[in-house]
Amino acid sequence: MQKVKLLLVAGARPNFMKIAPVIRELKRRSEEFDYVLVHTGQHYDEGMSDVFFRDLGIPAPEHHLNVGSGSHAAQTARIMTAFEEVLQKEAPDCVVVFGDVNSTLACSIVAKKLEYPVAHVEAGLRSGDMRMPEEVNRVVTDAITDFFFCTEPSGVTHLQQEGKEAGRVFHVGHVMIDNLLHELESLPPSTAPTPDGGFGVVTLHRPSNVDSPDVLSGIMSALAQISERLPLVFPVHPRTRQRLDAMSYVPPATIELTTPLGYRDFLQLWRRASLVLTDSGGLQEETTALGIPCLTLRDNTERPVTLSEGTNRLVGSDPEAIFAGAAAALAQAVTGRRPELWDGRASQRIIEHLARELRAHH
Ligand code: UD1
């Protein structure tokens, strides 16, 4: 039987932990599948890219497009131009894109125009906020996707409402949770001391939180107030670092700023935290999976299962609301449960569906 050939697209940090378990599954089924990994180079720093490939055991990509940073249009255009050439050369049976970053959007458009089927892992999520670049990426990618793989029921509902064919929409669970559970199995017990009373972990990188000095300084003052009760560790994303440097920000002794951490170092940190404060998408879900209280510094989330079933709470960007949210989370235990199908087997389900769907068209 002829093998099915998949082309997997990785671009930015949140893609890497989603691709790793899919590659593990493809290797397990190497008699049926070939795959090619393309890294667009949207994220390129050692700490934003290489460390994840090493930590997660992702093989070196067959193609690196080296696109780097730029405005949305410039970055998307560079990815599209470079990817078109690679795609024509590789001629896969299907292009698999992950999440909602610019690389996801750019490569799905190129694939569709060259008439390759597109599979979208993490399809159907909607924040309803079109000012978020990721929301544009999600809506456009899903408009041209052929196979939709959803992490939670809201994804399926949105795609139904948008009129997608039911037989192409699959609720499979979450590949990022596959990876989390896999990594936890081999993570040594942490030897780092935990301060009495615990500590909190912060991540911030959304343009809506960090690009305006007023909003960012308000958030930093709320964090300073929280840190008087709960010391905070804050690995700083490059976008946020630029903004803090521009404000000549000096943290109080109770907030420790670090460089971005690799996957395993970061996991070792946040899994011991009493509270996570973040505007990341993935961390809302990972904290839900491990039952760690999470405050999301946004007004909305495209991942509502983390609110209805998990440990996530929306607090927005207002300093008083952030402080009140932290006080409430510390005063009363936050409980939740792991959403349906977040069981470590999403990658298996995705590859099984693709095997069936793509063979039918072979
Ligand atoms: C991107 C994604 C976002 C994701 C985030 C995770 C889009 C639209 N946004 O946002 O969804 O949550 O990644 O990190 O795709 N930079 C570096 N080194 C790097 C990468 C970036 O210094 O390796 C700096 C550059 O100055 C760049 C800025 O960070 O201009 C922003 O990077 P960019 O990839 O444009 O967006 P992110 O904010 O990282």
Side-chain angles (χ1 to χ4, degrees):
M1 190 175 27
Q2 208 186 337
K3 288 193 197 184
V4 172
K5 178 175 176 179
L6 301 182
L7 188 154
L8 312 178
V9 177
R13 184 168 67 177
N15 294 151
F16 306 138
M17 53 291 261
K18 296 169 192 163
I19 282 192
V22 171
I23 291 182
R24 276 193 287 276
E25 181 62 10
L26 288 171
K27 284 186 170 162
R28 205 176 65 81
R29 296 182 62 163
S30 61
E31 291 184 359
E32 302 154 80
F33 284 94
D34 277 333
Y35 74 90
V36 177
L37 178 61
V38 176
H39 187 341
T40 65
Q42 177 175 345
H43 283 172
Y44 44 87
D45 280 348
E46 154 72 27
M48 296 293 285
S49 177
D50 300 6
V51 67
F52 289 86
F53 276 69
R54 277 199 306 279
D55 267 10
L56 302 175
I58 306 172
E62 277 76 17
H63 301 276
H64 200 303
L65 310 182
N66 283 311
V67 298
S69 301
S71 69
H72 285 276
Q75 187 177 60
T76 306
R78 279 203 296 274
I79 299 169
M80 288 178 73
T81 310
F83 183 65
E84 187 174 53
E85 214 174 295
V86 166
L87 185 55
Q88 278 169 323
K89 184 161 161 255
E90 291 291 351
D93 295 304
C94 182
V95 172
V96 186
V97 297
F98 297 77
D100 55 18
V101 300
N102 285 346
S103 302
T104 313
L105 168 80
C107 295
S108 54
I109 294 176
V110 171
K112 197 64 192 166
K113 292 234 170 149
L114 290 176
E115 298 185 13
Y116 290 97
V118 175
H120 184 198
V121 176
E122 226 185 20
L125 296 180
R126 300 287 181 265
S127 70
D129 178 0
M130 280 297 223
R131 289 167 311 175
M132 250 184 121
E134 294 79 6
E135 182 74 351
V136 179
N137 293 345
R138 289 188 278 262
V139 167
V140 176
T141 301
D142 284 340
I144 54 175
T145 288
D146 296 278
F147 304 112
F148 303 87
F149 296 109
C150 298
T151 52
E152 58 165 280
S154 77
V156 177
T157 307
H158 294 134
L159 295 168
Q160 277 168 353
Q161 287 164 350
E162 290 169 20
K164 305 299 178 205
E165 192 186 318
R168 296 285 182 103
V169 177
F170 308 100
H171 180 199
V172 290
H174 205 333
V175 290
M176 187 183 63
I177 305 302
D178 294 3
N179 190 64
L180 174 63
L181 301 179
H182 175 86
E183 291 296 330
L184 280 174
E185 269 174 26
S186 63
L187 205 66
S190 171
T191 52
T194 303
D196 294 342
F199 67 97
V201 169
V202 178
T203 81
L204 281 179
H205 74 287
R206 295 261 157 244
S208 56
N209 280 334
V210 307
D211 284 1
S212 146
D214 281 353
V215 176
L216 183 56
S217 58
I219 293 175
M220 295 314 297
S221 68
L223 295 178
Q225 221 185 336
I226 295 166
S227 73
E228 288 168 16
R229 288 175 57 182
L230 185 73
L232 299 175
V233 184
F234 180 1
V236 186
H237 184 282
R239 172 190 285 278
T240 313
R241 172 65 70 182
Q242 287 166 16
R243 307 301 189 237
L244 290 174
D245 288 351
M247 289 166 31
S248 306
Y249 175 75
V250 180
T254 43
I255 301 183
E256 184 189 344
L257 301 186
T258 75
T259 54
L261 300 178
Y263 184 86
R264 288 169 75 86
D265 285 344
F266 187 52
L267 174 54
Q268 263 315 11
L269 181 69
W270 70 260
R271 72 164 173 159
R272 295 182 299 123
S274 320
L275 181 65
V276 169
L277 299 109
T278 190
D279 61 10
S280 147
L283 204 47
Q284 296 173 47
E285 299 175 321
E286 292 177 309
T287 47
T288 274
L290 298 195
I292 296 183
C294 177
L295 297 182
T296 295
L297 277 62
R298 288 176 46 191
D299 296 327
N300 51 53
T301 179
E302 60 286 341
R303 303 159 204 272
V305 79
T306 61
L307 302 174
S308 58
E309 297 188 24
T311 49
N312 188 25
R313 303 291 174 262
L314 293 180
V315 290
S317 309
D318 174 62
E320 280 175 24
I322 297 169
F323 181 75
L330 293 173
Q332 198 183 11
V334 178
T335 54
R337 66 186 173 103
R338 199 176 284 175
E340 189 190 354
L341 301 178
W342 289 18
D343 57 359
R345 294 173 53 212
S347 311
Q348 283 179 40
R349 295 187 189 101
I350 289 171
I351 297 309
E352 186 54 38
H353 284 305
L354 284 178
R356 206 181 42 245
E357 296 290 330
L358 295 171
R359 283 223 190 82
H361 298 96
H362 235 157

